[in-house]
Amino acid sequence: PKRILLLGVGKTKDFALSELRHASARAVRAATASKCQSLALVLPATDPVDAERVGEFVAEGVLLAGYQFDKYLSGERKRPTTLTEVRLVTAAATGAALDKGIARGEKIAHGVMQARDLAHEQASELTPRRLADFAAELAKSRGLECEILGPAQCAELGMGCFLGVARGSDEEPRLIHLAYKPKGTPRRRVALVGKTVTFDSGGLSLKTTEGMLEMKYDMGGAATVIGAIGVLCELDCPDEVHVICAATENMPSGRAYKLGDVLRSMAGKTVEINNTDAEGRLTLGDAMTYAVEKIGVDEIIDLATLTGSSMVALGNFTGALFSNSDTLAGRLLEASQQGGDDLWRMPLRDRLFDSLKSDIADMKNSGDRYGGSISAALFLREFIGDKTWAHIDMAGPIHADKDFGHVSKGATGFGVATLVELLSPR
């Protein structure tokens, strides 16, 4: 070798295999910066039984470190790379298992990159209708079932909250339903519901310019669940998985829903609007009701860039996890440790629901300033019936201000690897 890079991965007693994802990405970034053509990663000694995991994590780190959304860049702005080959050097004869892990890691990395691409796309290009078209094409290429509902069909189902948010935009909303069904009897029937506000101006409760700059990322939940189902169908997931995305813009206009309006949800609950910038929970409520009543799922996991309060509580790198099930919460926390996504479980404090009580409707759509991420989760809980449910508020980690390990600046694809780890066999 012409250059040797030494990477510390911590003390042996504290070392976790998932650290290889981060370390491999650091190595690729260093090799790229040095304009190397090839890179040999000499891996630390690990138990041979972990070879598949090692291959998976290294492949993810290598591929994700090289990601760039360059669709709108020209000339020298595109990040060139001379790196064309990465070899793995291991101490044990575990080639077959390592290759199997690498193949899995490649699939996961491509799902994460697909989610990043969707979140990065400008809102004027990725409208609800075009996202629906993308989902239909994905379904066709992966053998998924796909149903797209327009505003008239959503109105027939009584989705007054979803359609209320959509009213202010010239772009028609779409309800996107993708379904993967395994061969044989499924282990469980799971709904992955992603917040899909393709651009959030705040509606009549208009955001500032600064607050609006990153609102193309407000469909990050949808990007995650769409990216995840594309991987799950390739890995022969034993669960029946349904992806539900209520796609709309939140815009101000003469038709926009107003403060003081009362919207009736698909579940029959009425909601008084006291903040049109608390729109995501309205769209998610109808989407989750669809999963409960029309599909009959056993388990619901929703992912949403929902509240700034979650960022105040946990910072920019950690997703807030809420659940009515200790078992599901535990599974998600364990999966996130392996998937490289940071989650922290938050409490569901019933007393905070008092701030959502309305004098003229069943509830308001926004509560007090304090505990905002908790009251938002309590609002969503009203739409899950008796189902097992988890809510991940990913407002912080959906976007990164700079490169860090396998995470690239910009859209992160947060949650894809965790959902695959949760639902896919190994």
Side-chain angles (χ1 to χ4, degrees):
K2 296 179 180 179
R3 291 181 175 85
I4 295 177
L5 175 69
L6 303 179
L7 283 175
V9 290
K11 296 180 179 179
T12 302
K13 66 181 181 67
D14 298 326
F15 176 72
L17 285 176
S18 57
E19 290 296 321
L20 291 174
R21 183 190 288 111
H22 182 72
S24 301
R26 290 169 60 198
V28 167
R29 293 191 193 282
T32 301
S34 298
K35 298 183 179 179
C36 296
Q37 293 182 345
S38 63
L39 170 67
L41 292 175
V42 182
L43 303 177
T46 56
D47 192 319
V49 302
D50 293 324
E52 186 177 337
R53 278 289 202 187
V54 169
E56 176 184 338
F57 294 148
V58 171
E60 289 180 40
V62 167
L63 292 171
L64 292 176
Y67 173 83
Q68 182 186 30
F69 184 73
D70 59 7
K71 179 178 177 180
Y72 299 108
L73 296 178
S74 59
E76 296 180 356
R77 291 296 311 282
K78 291 191 176 185
R79 185 171 61 199
T81 180
T82 57
L83 187 63
T84 59
E85 179 183 73
V86 178
R87 296 186 181 187
L88 306 187
V89 182
T90 63
T94 54
L98 199 66
D99 287 344
K100 185 177 179 182
I102 290 171
R104 178 184 170 91
E106 287 176 338
K107 291 180 173 65
I108 295 172
H110 286 302
V112 173
M113 290 189 284
Q114 184 176 82
R116 291 178 179 180
D117 284 346
L118 286 171
H120 271 134
E121 185 57 82
Q122 58 175 318
S124 295
E125 178 68 22
L126 194 69
T127 62
R129 285 180 287 185
R130 288 179 178 171
L131 181 60
D133 291 341
F134 176 87
E137 286 297 320
L138 177 69
K140 184 177 179 180
S141 67
R142 302 295 174 85
L144 302 170
E145 295 180 9
C146 178
E147 185 174 14
I148 308 295
L149 303 184
Q153 294 162 299
C154 291
E156 289 178 5
L157 292 172
M159 293 185 168
C161 286
F162 171 41
L163 294 176
V165 175
R167 219 160 57 200
S169 175
D170 289 339
E171 292 288 343
E172 285 191 356
R174 291 290 186 270
L175 185 83
I176 301 166
H177 176 195
L178 297 175
Y180 160 79
K181 296 181 179 179
K183 298 175 182 178
T185 303
R187 183 172 58 180
R188 62 175 70 87
R189 185 175 289 177
V190 181
L192 303 178
V193 181
K195 179 183 173 183
T196 321
V197 178
T198 58
F199 187 77
D200 181 17
S201 70
L204 295 180
S205 302
L206 196 66
K207 294 179 183 288
T208 63
T209 296
E210 183 179 356
M212 227 182 288
L213 280 173
E214 296 180 353
M215 284 302 103
K216 67 179 183 179
Y217 296 126
D218 214 22
M219 45 67 68
T224 293
V225 297
I226 290 172
I229 197 171
V231 180
L232 290 169
C233 64
E234 290 190 308
L235 296 178
D236 296 325
C237 172
D239 296 322
E240 182 178 313
V241 181
H242 296 263
V243 159
I244 313 296
C245 300
T248 182
E249 294 180 336
N250 183 27
M251 298 289 283
S253 76
R255 299 188 307 274
Y257 71 131
K258 305 172 181 67
L259 300 176
D261 281 357
V262 176
L263 304 180
R264 186 176 297 276
S265 69
M266 182 178 174
K269 298 178 185 292
T270 54
V271 182
E272 178 189 2
I273 304 303
N274 65 344
N275 184 353
T276 64
D277 197 23
E279 84 298 332
R281 63 200 70 181
L282 298 170
T283 66
L284 288 167
D286 277 344
M288 291 195 295
T289 301
Y290 181 89
V292 172
E293 296 186 2
K294 302 300 290 185
I295 304 173
V297 297
D298 306 310
E299 193 172 272
I300 300 172
I301 302 170
D302 78 81
L303 297 95
T305 49
L306 205 63
T307 69
S309 296
S310 67
M311 300 167 66
V312 173
L314 298 175
N316 294 333
F317 314 119
T318 305
L321 168 64
F322 300 84
S323 183
N324 64 353
S325 165
D326 291 342
T327 300
L328 177 56
R331 288 169 50 214
L332 274 164
L333 289 171
E334 183 178 352
S336 70
Q337 290 174 359
Q338 298 298 327
D341 300 313
D342 190 18
L343 289 180
W344 187 264
R345 190 175 184 185
M346 299 282 281
L348 286 165
R349 294 288 183 254
D350 291 330
R351 285 186 62 186
L352 285 176
F353 190 80
D354 288 346
S355 67
L356 294 172
K357 290 182 178 178
S358 166
D359 293 332
I360 63 171
D362 294 329
M363 53 185 168
K364 296 183 291 186
N365 74 316
S366 181
D368 294 338
R369 174 185 177 188
Y370 300 108
S373 63
I374 300 175
S375 60
L378 291 171
F379 181 95
L380 294 179
R381 193 179 65 177
E382 293 295 298
F383 298 93
I384 63 169
D386 60 355
K387 305 301 181 183
T388 300
W389 161 75
H391 159 59
I392 297 175
D393 192 333
M394 52 195 286
I398 191 61
H399 175 268
D401 292 330
K402 60 182 179 180
D403 293 341
F404 180 75
H406 68 287
V407 176
S408 296
K409 182 179 180 180
T412 62
F414 182 90
V416 172
T418 292
L419 292 177
V420 173
E421 179 70 26
L422 180 78
L423 300 174
S424 162
R426 174 164 285 93

